Amino acid sequence: MSSSGSRASLSSDFERFKRALPREFPEYVREAYCINLSARFLGQSLPHPIGKGSGQLSLNPGQLETDADAGLAFAVLKTVIAQNAAGDQSMAAWAIHESKMKVERRGDSWTVTWKGRGWDRSFEDYLALVRSGRDLTRDRRLLTVPSVKYHLPHVHEPFRDAEYAFTTRALAAAWGETPLLLEKDFSPTLAGDELGGEKVQILRWLREVPARIRAHAPVKLAMKLMNAHFDDDFQREMVDAASGADALTVFNRLYDAERGVAYGGKDLSDRNLRVLSSLTPGGSPGILGIPELSGTGNVSSGRMIVEYATRGCSSVQLHTFFQLPLEEYPATDGTRTQRALHALLFDPRNGLLAVMLEREAAGLLARRGGELHFLDLLPDAHRAS
Ligand SMILES: Cc1cc2nc3c(=O)[nH]c(=O)nc-3n(C[C@H](O)[C@H](O)[C@H](O)COP(=O)(O)O)c2cc1C
C-alpha cells in the first residue's frame, strides 16, 4: 500500500475502532499496513511496545485480566516492599496505605497526585498476584513482571541480605520458572527522603543491588531508576552505575519537595528525554555497555513513544494515560486500556502508526523485507542489545 493509501486507511480504522479495538491488532497492523510493531522488555519479545508501569493499576488479577483482554503487551505489578522471613521490612515506611488518587492537569499534560507508596497488603497476597501474573505470562496473554523495593542502606551500613534472600526466593518460587523476571524500584519518594540525599550512597546502591538480588535466584533484572534531585550529569552517572541490570526503566516521576508528592507530565518527559538524548550514540562513549531501556514518563501519544524509542527505548511503561477521564479518549466504547491503546496506535496525527509512516515519508525510517519495524526506530547500538 502507498504511504498516502496507508494514511487514508488509518483515518478509517481510527473511526472504526472507536467502538472496539480488535484484540489481535498487532497482526492486523502487520497485514494491513506492513508495520511490524514487535518490541522488547527484559529480553522478552513483545507484540508491541506499550505496557503498564508499576502502580495502582496492577494491584489485582481483575486488572491484569482486563489488560490481557485489551491486548496490552505487558504489566509491571505494584511494588512490594521486601521483608525477611520474620516479616520485618526495613523499608516499611514505603508500605503505607493511601487509596485516594487525583488525576490533574499540569499545564497541557496530566499528572496523578497520590500520597501512597508501595504494596500495603500481606506478602502472601502479593505472591498470589504473582502467580496469577505468571499464569497469564505462561499462556502468552500478558507478560507480567513483579516489582520490589529492597532495603537500601546508608552509605556505611551493610545491606540487609536476609530481606534480599527471603523476598527473592519467595518470588522465584511463586513464579515457578527460570529465570524470574523482576523490576527493582528506586522510587521518586526516595528523592525526597534523606536516604536519597547522597550521591555516593545512590551510586553504591545501583552498583551493588544487582548482585545482592542475583545471589538468591536466577533473575532477569530491570532497575527502575528514580529522578534524583541532582543534575542531568548525575542522572547519567546513575545509568552508568546501573550497568549490572539487564534493563533500565527510565526514569520514575519527579519529586515536589514542597508539596511532598511525586509528579509527572511534561516536566517529566522533558527531563527524561533530555537525559536519554545525551546517552545515545554520539552523546556518550559508553553507550555500547548500557542495558536495554524501557521508557516511562508522560507517554500520552504514539509520537511520545517514538521520542522514547529514538533515544533507545524498546518498550514504554505508562500509568497516567490509563487513568484519564473517559471523555479524554477518542474511543466511545471499551475499557480504559482499550481506549488508551486505540489512541496511542491509531490516532491519525499523533498515533504510533501515523508517526512511523510520517518518518518513512521523511526518509527517516526505511522498510526491511517490505515492512516498517518499530525496533528500527532505535539507534543501532540499542537495536543489537
Ligand atoms: C498513583 C501512582 C502509583 C505508582 N506506584 C508505583 C510503584 O508502586 N512502583 C513503581 O515503580 N512506580 C510507581 N509509579 C510510577 C509509574 O509506574 C510510572 O513510571 C510513572 O507514573 C511515569 O509514567 P506516567 O507519566 O505514564 O504516569 C506510580 C505512579 C502513580 C501515578
Side-chain angles (χ1 to χ4, degrees):
M1 199 192 300
S2 72
S3 214
S4 58
S6 287
R7 280 197 292 270
S9 332
L10 195 50
S11 295
S12 89
D13 280 342
F14 178 63
E15 290 305 320
R16 193 155 70 95
F17 294 154
K18 280 182 176 172
R19 289 183 300 280
L21 179 69
R23 166 75 178 76
E24 306 305 332
F25 62 81
E27 287 80 358
Y28 172 76
V29 165
R30 198 163 175 189
E31 271 166 35
Y33 296 87
C34 297
I35 294 183
N36 185 332
L37 293 174
S38 298
R40 199 172 51 233
F41 179 52
L42 262 180
Q44 315 298 302
S45 179
L46 304 172
H48 62 84
I50 305 165
K52 190 167 267 185
S54 172
Q56 305 322 98
L57 309 176
S58 48
L59 287 171
N60 60 56
Q63 291 169 319
L64 300 181
E65 281 289 334
T66 304
D67 288 343
D69 287 345
L72 190 74
F74 66 103
V76 182
L77 306 183
K78 177 66 190 171
T79 300
V80 72
I81 310 303
Q83 62 175 59
N84 66 15
D88 298 332
Q89 298 172 310
S90 49
M91 306 298 274
W94 272 266
I96 56 173
H97 178 76
E98 170 67 59
S99 54
K100 223 170 118 235
M101 288 187 274
K102 198 164 160 208
V103 181
E104 305 179 281
R105 280 205 176 272
R106 197 179 163 95
D108 291 340
S109 49
W110 292 89
T111 188
V112 181
T113 304
W114 178 64
K115 294 218 171 178
R117 291 175 168 195
W119 179 261
D120 59 5
R121 286 179 270 148
S122 75
F123 189 61
E124 278 310 313
D125 284 354
Y126 194 77
L127 295 179
L129 179 64
V130 171
R131 285 189 286 270
S132 304
R134 186 268 325 271
D135 292 346
L136 289 168
T137 304
R138 230 183 231 170
D139 297 346
R140 305 199 154 274
R141 293 183 57 216
L142 176 72
L143 173 74
T144 67
V145 176
S147 162
V148 185
K149 183 190 295 298
Y150 289 93
H151 174 233
L152 297 173
H154 284 101
V155 75
H156 299 299
E157 276 176 2
F159 281 86
R160 295 201 191 161
D161 279 319
E163 292 185 12
Y164 279 79
F166 177 81
T167 302
T168 310
R169 287 181 193 151
L171 290 171
W175 190 252
E177 286 182 20
T178 303
L180 167 68
L181 306 177
L182 192 64
E183 190 169 272
K184 156 71 183 129
D185 173 31
F186 293 86
S187 68
T189 43
L190 274 173
D193 190 275
E194 54 86 29
L195 253 186
E198 265 197 60
K199 290 184 178 178
V200 194
Q201 187 158 290
I202 295 174
L203 296 175
R204 173 188 173 214
W205 297 338
L206 297 173
R207 284 195 198 100
E208 295 191 22
V209 157
R212 298 273 158 195
I213 297 173
R214 294 186 202 283
H216 307 290
V219 172
K220 275 238 173 217
L221 179 67
M223 294 213 290
K224 185 169 185 177
L225 303 187
M226 63 194 184
N227 263 303
H229 65 240
F230 302 109
D231 60 11
D232 292 3
D233 283 344
F234 183 69
Q235 212 58 31
R236 279 190 291 277
E237 272 188 67
M238 286 173 52
V239 170
D240 284 344
S243 62
D246 298 294
L248 300 180
T249 300
V250 285
F251 298 98
N252 211 333
R253 301 203 297 163
L254 297 164
Y255 190 72
D256 180 337
E258 243 167 61
R259 292 179 66 203
V261 292
Y263 67 96
K266 187 169 179 302
D267 291 352
L268 176 58
S269 49
D270 281 354
R271 174 162 216 224
N272 287 354
L273 295 175
R274 195 173 67 233
V275 171
L276 291 173
S277 293
S278 65
L279 296 174
T280 46
S284 162
I287 184 71
L288 284 171
I290 81 171
E292 181 193 284
L293 299 176
S294 184
T296 191
N298 192 33
V299 175
S300 46
S301 66
R303 195 169 293 282
M304 187 60 90
I305 298 175
V306 172
E307 294 294 332
Y308 277 99
T310 52
R311 289 164 178 81
C313 298
S314 56
S315 67
V316 284
Q317 301 186 19
L318 290 62
H319 200 286
T320 303
F321 195 66
F322 289 121
Q323 287 188 281
L324 300 189
L326 275 186
E327 63 273 15
E328 293 296 321
Y329 302 105
T332 51
D333 284 291
T335 59
R336 269 199 174 68
T337 313
Q338 285 170 320
R339 292 179 199 219
L341 289 171
H342 165 259
L344 293 166
L345 292 158
F346 288 97
D347 183 287
R349 273 200 313 134
N350 291 316
L352 182 55
L353 303 190
V355 180
M356 287 179 70
L357 292 168
E358 181 186 299
R359 289 180 76 87
E360 180 188 23
L364 295 169
L365 184 64
R367 289 185 185 264
R368 257 191 310 117
E371 291 184 332
L372 292 179
H373 293 253
F374 168 76
L375 285 173
D376 283 353
L377 292 166
L378 276 60
D380 287 345
H382 291 270
R383 251 182 260 170
S385 71

